[in-house]
Amino acid sequence: MSSTLRLYPFLALGFAGLSLAMAAWARRHRKTPDQRERERRLRISTLGRITDGTVIDVSEMRLSGTDELQLIIYQYDVAGVSYEASQDVTQLRHRVDLHSCRIGLPASIKYDPTNPGNSIVIAENWTGLRQ
């Protein structure tokens, strides 16, 4: 009986070490917000449904120093419910010129059929902006 009691501290120490190693591995392999947003856009562009919408505004905001945030604000309807959303298109500058986007411009919107509030107007492999 006493020999098994002597093993408990070693088991606890081994478990703690394994837990720390797993936490360190998970932290190193955590996705950045940009990676998660890119995956969201690609998932919606692949699996999403299309509806008609309208660009209601474009906005460029200066963040700290030289960083800039570019947004497209749009509205669309799904099953009689109106949605107004914005999409950060800063990472997609090569695909869209905000200065050519006109307010009131018709657009195709892709949305998640299980959550219609989750939508995009542009992705790496698709664009709903009409020229």
Side-chain angles (χ1 to χ4, degrees):
M1 175 84 116
S2 66
S3 64
T4 47
L5 288 177
R6 285 186 218 152
L7 291 178
Y8 286 142
F10 293 111
L11 290 173
L13 187 60
F15 180 73
L18 182 62
S19 297
L20 285 173
M22 287 174 44
W25 181 85
R27 186 174 179 95
R28 265 193 316 240
H29 292 87
R30 185 180 302 164
K31 295 178 182 173
T32 66
D34 288 340
Q35 289 170 325
R36 287 195 306 270
E37 174 61 16
R38 183 176 188 278
E39 288 176 2
R40 181 189 79 86
R41 284 192 307 262
L42 290 174
R43 182 175 38 78
I44 293 174
S45 72
T46 302
L47 303 173
R49 292 192 183 148
I50 298 176
T51 189
D52 289 326
T54 306
V55 174
I56 57 175
D57 200 3
V58 292
S59 178
E60 289 182 287
M61 292 187 259
R62 288 234 183 258
L63 300 175
S64 59
T66 61
D67 291 340
E68 203 171 81
L69 181 69
Q70 297 180 334
L71 297 173
I72 294 179
I73 303 163
Y74 54 96
Q75 71 85 28
Y76 59 102
D77 297 323
V78 175
V81 178
S82 294
Y83 294 90
E84 187 172 309
S86 64
Q87 182 180 353
D88 178 1
V89 294
T90 308
Q91 300 299 321
L92 301 169
R93 290 179 201 189
H94 62 283
R95 302 262 307 148
V96 62
D97 179 18
L98 285 187
H99 303 292
S100 68
C101 288
R102 293 181 312 275
I103 295 174
L105 181 72
S108 295
I109 311 298
K110 277 200 178 183
Y111 66 93
D112 183 343
T114 61
N115 179 10
N118 189 3
S119 62
I120 60 171
V121 73
I122 189 168
E124 286 77 2
N125 59 353
W126 178 83
T127 183
L129 295 174
R130 301 176 192 157
Q131 302 299 327

